[in-house]
Amino acid sequence: MNSEFEKLKGTGLQTVDTEKVTLDFFKMLKKISDKEFINILITSGYIPDLYVADSKEETLFTKLCEALEVDWASRMGFEANAVTQKSSYEDVVIKINNKIIVSDTKSFRLGRSQQAPNVKDFVKPEDYSKWANRHSGQKLGGLVVYPQLHEWTRKSDAHVYCSDKKNPILMLPYHYLAYFLERKDKFNPKSLEKLWDYEKIFPEKADSRNDYWQKINNVILEITGDEKKEFKKFLNLAETKLYEFVEGRLKNLEYQKNIKIKKIEFEISSIPDSELRDKFLKYRQEIETQYIVTFQERIQKFRLTNNKESTTYSKFIDSSFDKS
């Protein structure tokens, strides 16, 4: 993906052709085996931390995560497509037994400031109802696909929202999709629709992370016919791959940090002493007075009138006596 942005240098173009890159990505995925695809899925959904927030790179990355979900569904034998409209629409639509699932494909940075996302950034139940109502025919419900390392440790409103039988929204980490694909020849993939039978699974809403996954995992074992020890073996294998992936990301960040340090050292060593003192003086002046400048800007913006000749109260005095 990064190579596509490298091609832009010197062309005058501002961004890549997202649609073309996505189509090329689908073509690439079709060339790889299920086994290779499973390894990709397990560690999917983690936005590179050095991508600028809301950047073109981040936007393209999220589109390719959606493509991964679509390709997974196709490999499972389901109908699926990514939704091109982005504002207030689901990311992916999947059909199992001709019944519709509206899905939101999540991706997060490993280095985000919180262990888990804000619930409102993870699931909004009212959105799923709105998305589903746009489709005719029978609906199974909603789906949130997300990277495993961003789930809440014990409990969250997300587990409550995603166990509501009135609006079934299933949470599935990417490595669970990988598990289904790895086992697909041992069970009927279309029986996965049972995961949305919330009348049976969640007669009452889940009260914790453990409660949610104990119930979902039991249904998965019923569907796949797998033994608990084999299911846990796959999940532990996924954990090992996730650990190796995180370690790799940390090493890459350390490498990038060292490159930056060496660049700074080289640039500083090339500056004459007198100029260096001037630059350092300016740097300290900016850094150590920035909080004062911030106060000044806020006072001028919020406490004075536009012409800075009176306070904002001056406009209110007359109206406090007479109706305008």
Side-chain angles (χ1 to χ4, degrees):
M1 190 188 93
N2 290 337
S3 62
E4 294 296 328
F5 288 95
E6 287 293 322
K7 293 176 186 176
L8 294 180
K9 292 182 178 179
T11 66
L13 299 175
Q14 297 299 310
T15 189
V16 299
D17 185 337
T18 301
E19 185 174 344
K20 178 182 180 301
V21 173
T22 304
L23 288 173
D24 289 343
F25 186 62
F26 273 120
K27 291 177 184 177
M28 183 274 289
L29 291 176
K30 289 189 182 300
K31 295 177 182 178
I32 67 176
S33 66
D34 281 355
K35 184 176 181 180
E36 292 172 301
F37 186 70
I38 286 166
N39 284 329
I40 292 172
L41 267 184
I42 289 172
T43 56
S44 290
Y46 300 98
I47 302 169
D49 289 285
L50 295 179
Y51 284 176
V52 176
D54 301 319
S55 64
K56 299 177 180 68
E57 289 86 351
E58 182 181 290
T59 299
L60 180 56
F61 183 89
T62 59
K63 288 293 298 180
L64 299 186
C65 287
E66 294 164 20
L68 286 173
E69 183 180 349
V70 171
D71 195 70
W72 166 81
S74 298
R75 288 171 187 257
M76 293 294 294
F78 308 143
E79 293 180 49
N81 65 276
V83 177
T84 54
Q85 302 100 318
K86 293 302 352 165
S87 179
S88 300
Y89 276 79
E90 65 274 19
D91 293 324
V92 173
V93 176
I94 299 171
K95 287 186 179 180
I96 300 180
N97 294 322
N98 209 35
K99 299 170 186 174
I100 290 169
I101 298 162
V102 288
S103 178
D104 196 6
T105 315
K106 295 297 183 182
S107 52
F108 301 112
R109 298 169 189 272
L110 281 170
R112 64 181 290 126
S113 61
Q114 296 169 294
Q115 179 172 328
N118 293 324
V119 174
K120 63 181 178 61
D121 295 329
F122 185 83
V123 60
K124 295 179 182 176
E126 62 275 11
D127 283 352
Y128 285 83
S129 299
K130 178 174 63 178
W131 298 339
N133 288 335
R134 289 195 180 114
H135 297 273
S136 59
Q138 196 170 353
K139 290 91 160 176
L140 282 177
L143 174 62
V144 191
V145 174
Y146 66 99
Q148 175 59 66
L149 297 178
H150 289 80
E151 189 173 347
W152 297 262
T153 304
R154 293 183 178 83
K155 64 179 180 179
S156 162
D157 284 343
H159 297 108
V160 176
Y161 296 154
C162 292
S163 58
D164 183 357
K165 62 185 177 184
K166 295 179 182 177
N167 185 19
I169 303 168
L170 178 66
M171 294 167 56
L172 283 181
Y174 285 91
H175 73 289
Y176 268 59
L177 302 186
Y179 170 74
F180 292 137
L181 183 58
E182 203 265 350
R183 294 292 198 270
K184 75 171 185 177
D185 293 332
K186 298 180 180 179
F187 74 102
N188 180 1
K190 291 184 178 180
S191 62
L192 285 180
E193 75 163 275
K194 295 177 182 177
L195 285 170
W196 282 267
D197 185 4
Y198 273 24
E199 289 284 349
K200 175 184 175 183
I201 304 171
F202 295 112
E204 302 293 335
K205 296 176 184 178
D207 60 16
S208 67
R209 180 186 187 183
N210 278 347
D211 184 32
Y212 185 89
W213 286 108
Q214 285 166 8
K215 289 173 180 174
I216 291 295
N217 284 345
N218 282 335
V219 177
I220 289 173
L221 290 172
E222 290 176 14
I223 291 171
T224 61
D226 211 352
E227 293 183 14
K228 186 185 294 185
K229 66 177 181 180
E230 291 302 316
F231 189 11
K232 290 178 72 174
K233 180 180 178 181
F234 182 92
L235 298 182
N236 282 315
L237 175 64
E239 142 64 18
T240 299
K241 292 182 181 297
L242 283 169
Y243 177 77
E244 292 170 350
F245 172 77
V246 172
E247 284 287 291
R249 280 285 181 88
L250 285 171
K251 288 179 181 177
N252 180 257
L253 287 172
E254 182 67 18
Y255 174 73
Q256 296 298 330
K257 185 181 78 172
N258 288 333
I259 289 177
K260 181 76 72 175
I261 288 171
K262 288 179 181 178
K263 181 181 179 183
I264 293 170
E265 289 174 346
F266 174 77
E267 291 175 353
I268 293 297
S269 65
S270 303
I271 300 174
D273 289 350
S274 59
E275 186 180 342
L276 185 61
R277 281 193 295 271
D278 289 340
K279 286 181 178 292
F280 184 61
L281 175 63
K282 185 178 180 181
Y283 169 78
R284 282 199 60 180
Q285 287 172 339
E286 290 179 356
I287 293 297
E288 296 184 24
T289 64
Q290 182 56 53
Y291 72 104
I292 297 174
V293 173
T294 299
F295 292 150
Q296 289 175 315
E297 290 174 349
R298 290 173 182 172
I299 290 169
Q300 290 175 346
K301 180 177 181 180
F302 298 116
R303 315 305 167 203
L304 297 180
T305 55
N306 291 338
N307 58 16
K308 307 293 188 295
E309 294 179 356
S310 57
T311 73
T312 53
Y313 180 61
S314 66
K315 294 182 176 181
F316 177 74
I317 293 173
D318 288 340
S319 63
S320 68
F321 288 95
D322 305 306
K323 291 183 179 180
S324 58

